[in-house]
C-alpha cells in the first residue's frame, strides 16, 4: 500500500513538473515576443514579468484550466517591432490577435506549428514578404485575416487544404499571381482579394498559379 501511495505521489509530481515546464516555455516564448516589440507606448506589455511561474496572470494573455496559453490579445495596441520564431512554441494557442499595430518584417513560418489555432488576425500592420506555406498545417483555422499589410508573392496553393477556413482576407497587399479556386476558396468574395496585383481566378491547366509574379 505504501509503495502504491508513493507511486501515485511520484506520478502527480511528474505531472506538475510537466505543466510547469510547459508553461515556462510558453512564458519564455512570450517574453521573446516582448523583446522583439521595440515600442509599446500604451504599456500593454507592462505586466509581462518573466520571473513568474507562468504567464497566465499577464494582461492580454488567456490560459485554460491547465495554465496553457490559448489566447493572445494585442490588437489595436499601437505596438511596433517584429515577430520571431518563438511564437511557434505556443502549442495550445487558439487565438492570435495582433491586428492594427505597426508590426513589420516577415510572418514567421513557425506559426504553422500552432495546430490548435482557430483565428489569426494580423491585418493592419506592416508585414512584408510572402505568406508562409506552413500555414496550411493549421487544420483548425477558421479565420485568417492578413489584409492591409505589405505582403508580396503568390497566394500559397497549399491553403486550399484548410477545409475549416471560413474567412480569408488578403486585400490591400502586393500579392501577385492568380486566386485559388479550390477548397474553401470557392466561397470567399472577391473583396477579400482586392487592391493587389492579382490576375483573377486561377485558370487550371492554362497558366501557372504564380503567373504574373
Amino acid at each position: 500500500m505504501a509503495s502504491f501511495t508513493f507511486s501515485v505521489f511520484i506520478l502527480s509530481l511528474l505531472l506538475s513538473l510537466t505543466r510547469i515546464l510547459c508553461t515556462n516555455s510558453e512564458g519564455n516564448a512570450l517574453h521573446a515576443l516582448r523583446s522583439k516589440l521595440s515600442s509599446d507606448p500604451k504599456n500593454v506589455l507592462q505586466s509581462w514579468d518573466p520571473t513568474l511561474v507562468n504567464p497566465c496572470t499577464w494582461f492580454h494573455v488567456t490560459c485554460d484550466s491547465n495554465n496553457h496559453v490559448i489566447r493572445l490579445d494585442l490588437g489595436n495596441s499601437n505596438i511596433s517591432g517584429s515577430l520571431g520564431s518563438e511564437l511557434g512554441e505556443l502549442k495550445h494557442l487558439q487565438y492570435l490577435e495582433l491586428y492594427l499595430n505597426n508590426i513589420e518584417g516577415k510572418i514567421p513560418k513557425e506559426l504553422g506549428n500552432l495546430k490548435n489555432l482557430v483565428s489569426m488576425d494580423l491585418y493592419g500592420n506592416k508585414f512584408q514578404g510572402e505568406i508562409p506555406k506552413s500555414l496550411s498545417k493549421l487544420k483548425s483555422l477558421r479565420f485568417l485575416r492578413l489584409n492591409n499589410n505589405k505582403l508580396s508573392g503568390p497566394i500559397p496553393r497549399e491553403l486550399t487544404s484548410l477545409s475549416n477556413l471560413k474567412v480569408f482576407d488578403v486585400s490591400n497587399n502586393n500579392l501577385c499571381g492568380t486566386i485559388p479556386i479550390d477548397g474553401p476558396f470557392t466561397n470567399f468574395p472577391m473583396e477579400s482579394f482586392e487592391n493587389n496585383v492579382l490576375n483573377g481566378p486561377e485558370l487550371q491547366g492554362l497558366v501557372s498559379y504564380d503567373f504574373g509574379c
Side-chain angles (χ1 to χ4, degrees):
M1 183 65 181
S3 176
F4 175 75
T5 303
F6 180 72
S7 297
V8 171
F9 170 74
I10 292 298
L11 181 60
S12 298
L13 182 62
L14 289 173
L15 288 172
S16 297
L17 286 173
T18 300
R19 286 183 180 180
I20 290 172
L21 288 173
C22 184
T23 52
N24 274 346
S25 67
E26 292 177 332
N28 291 338
L30 290 175
H31 187 251
L33 170 64
R34 181 183 181 182
S35 68
K36 288 181 169 63
L37 296 175
S38 55
S39 177
D40 176 25
K42 294 183 179 180
N43 292 320
V44 296
L45 305 176
Q46 193 171 29
S47 67
W48 287 28
D49 183 355
T51 65
L52 299 178
V53 174
N54 65 59
C56 297
T57 59
W58 298 0
F59 291 157
H60 312 291
V61 174
T62 303
C63 294
D64 62 13
S65 58
N66 293 315
N67 289 331
H68 296 309
V69 176
I70 59 171
R71 188 171 184 123
L72 184 58
D73 288 292
L74 291 172
N76 198 22
S77 297
N78 203 27
I79 50 178
S80 302
S82 61
L83 303 184
S85 61
E86 297 85 2
L87 273 181
E89 297 297 318
L90 301 176
K91 305 295 186 183
H92 302 271
L93 195 68
Q94 298 176 22
Y95 295 88
L96 179 60
E97 307 298 327
L98 298 175
Y99 55 88
L100 296 177
N101 285 298
N102 296 299
I103 305 172
E104 55 189 5
K106 293 184 177 181
I107 298 174
K109 66 180 185 300
E110 289 79 9
L111 294 187
N113 296 332
L114 306 178
K115 300 296 180 62
N116 294 299
L117 205 65
V118 173
S119 176
M120 182 188 298
D121 284 323
L122 304 182
Y123 64 87
N125 280 284
K126 299 178 181 178
F127 287 109
Q128 300 172 315
E130 297 189 357
I131 299 171
K133 295 179 180 179
S134 61
L135 299 187
S136 64
K137 296 188 293 183
L138 304 177
K139 301 305 182 183
S140 298
L141 197 64
R142 295 174 61 86
F143 307 96
L144 179 57
R145 286 173 279 234
L146 306 175
N147 49 294
N148 295 84
N149 279 288
K150 299 179 180 180
L151 297 169
S152 57
I155 299 171
R157 286 310 178 267
E158 291 81 356
L159 298 183
T160 60
S161 67
L162 297 177
S163 58
N164 289 313
L165 197 61
K166 302 301 180 186
V167 175
F168 179 80
D169 194 343
V170 291
S171 59
N172 300 300
N173 279 287
N174 297 311
L175 299 172
C176 57
T178 55
I179 299 171
I181 58 174
D182 295 325
F185 283 80
T186 59
N187 300 315
F188 301 143
M190 291 305 295
E191 288 81 4
S192 297
F193 307 96
E194 63 185 8
N195 295 324
N196 284 284
V197 287
L198 294 163
N199 290 304
E202 182 177 10
L203 299 174
Q204 291 181 327
L206 297 178
V207 295
S208 171
Y209 78 91
D210 57 357
F211 175 74
C213 282

